[in-house]
Amino acid sequence: FGPSPDESKAPEAPEAAVPGLTRKEAWTNLVLALIGCTVCWLPNIMAQCGYLLGPPLLLFSALLIIRTGSLICESCELVEDSSNARLGSLNSYEDLARAVNMYKAVLVTKNT
């Protein structure tokens, strides 16, 4: 009369209950980190806008990206002129941030 040997054991916890990312979540995080959220979500946003609003939104996005790039180039030229550095010595956004003592801000924006 008493419990059988199998009933006296405590039930084991399933191994799948371990917290963490699934394989799909890990791949999604990797893709988003490598190519960026904009590249992944822009087609979805264009599909939701439809044929009427999609092309103007795409054109506006392209113009905004071009303007952002030109502002970075103009900023590099201003910093080079004010610091008497050789023209073309600032080749990247990180170089520009170092020249204006804002490299910590680049580390934050680059890693988020």
Side-chain angles (χ1 to χ4, degrees), residues 42-82:
L42 190 61
N44 185 21
I45 293 169
M46 293 297 157
Q48 289 180 356
C49 287
Y51 289 112
L52 187 60
L53 293 176
L57 183 60
L58 183 62
L59 180 64
F60 175 73
S61 299
L63 292 174
L64 188 64
I65 290 169
I66 290 170
R67 181 63 183 148
T68 303
S70 66
L71 284 174
I72 291 173
C73 290
E74 291 171 12
S75 299
C76 287
E77 291 174 1
L78 284 172
V79 171
E80 288 169 347
D81 288 343
S82 66

Side-chain angles (χ1 to χ4, degrees), residues 2-111:
S4 66
D6 292 335
E7 292 175 0
S8 63
K9 292 182 183 177
E12 296 180 19
E15 292 180 18
V18 177
L21 294 175
T22 65
R23 186 178 297 265
K24 182 179 179 182
E25 290 170 337
W27 275 106
T28 302
N29 286 341
L30 181 65
V31 168
L32 288 176
L34 292 176
I35 63 174
C37 188
T38 305
V39 174
C40 293
W41 284 102
L42 190 61
N44 185 21
I45 293 169
M46 293 297 157
Q48 289 180 356
C49 287
Y51 289 112
L52 187 60
L53 293 176
L57 183 60
L58 183 62
L59 180 64
F60 175 73
S61 299
L63 292 174
L64 188 64
I65 290 169
I66 290 170
R67 181 63 183 148
T68 303
S70 66
L71 284 174
I72 291 173
C73 290
E74 291 171 12
S75 299
C76 287
E77 291 174 1
L78 284 172
V79 171
E80 288 169 347
D81 288 343
S82 66
S83 65
N84 295 326
R86 181 180 53 85
L87 289 177
S89 62
L90 300 177
N91 296 328
S92 67
Y93 181 65
E94 287 84 5
D95 292 340
L96 175 63
R98 277 192 202 102
V100 296
N101 297 325
M102 292 294 293
Y103 193 66
K104 288 182 182 179
V106 173
L107 292 176
V108 170
T109 58
K110 194 174 183 180
N111 293 325

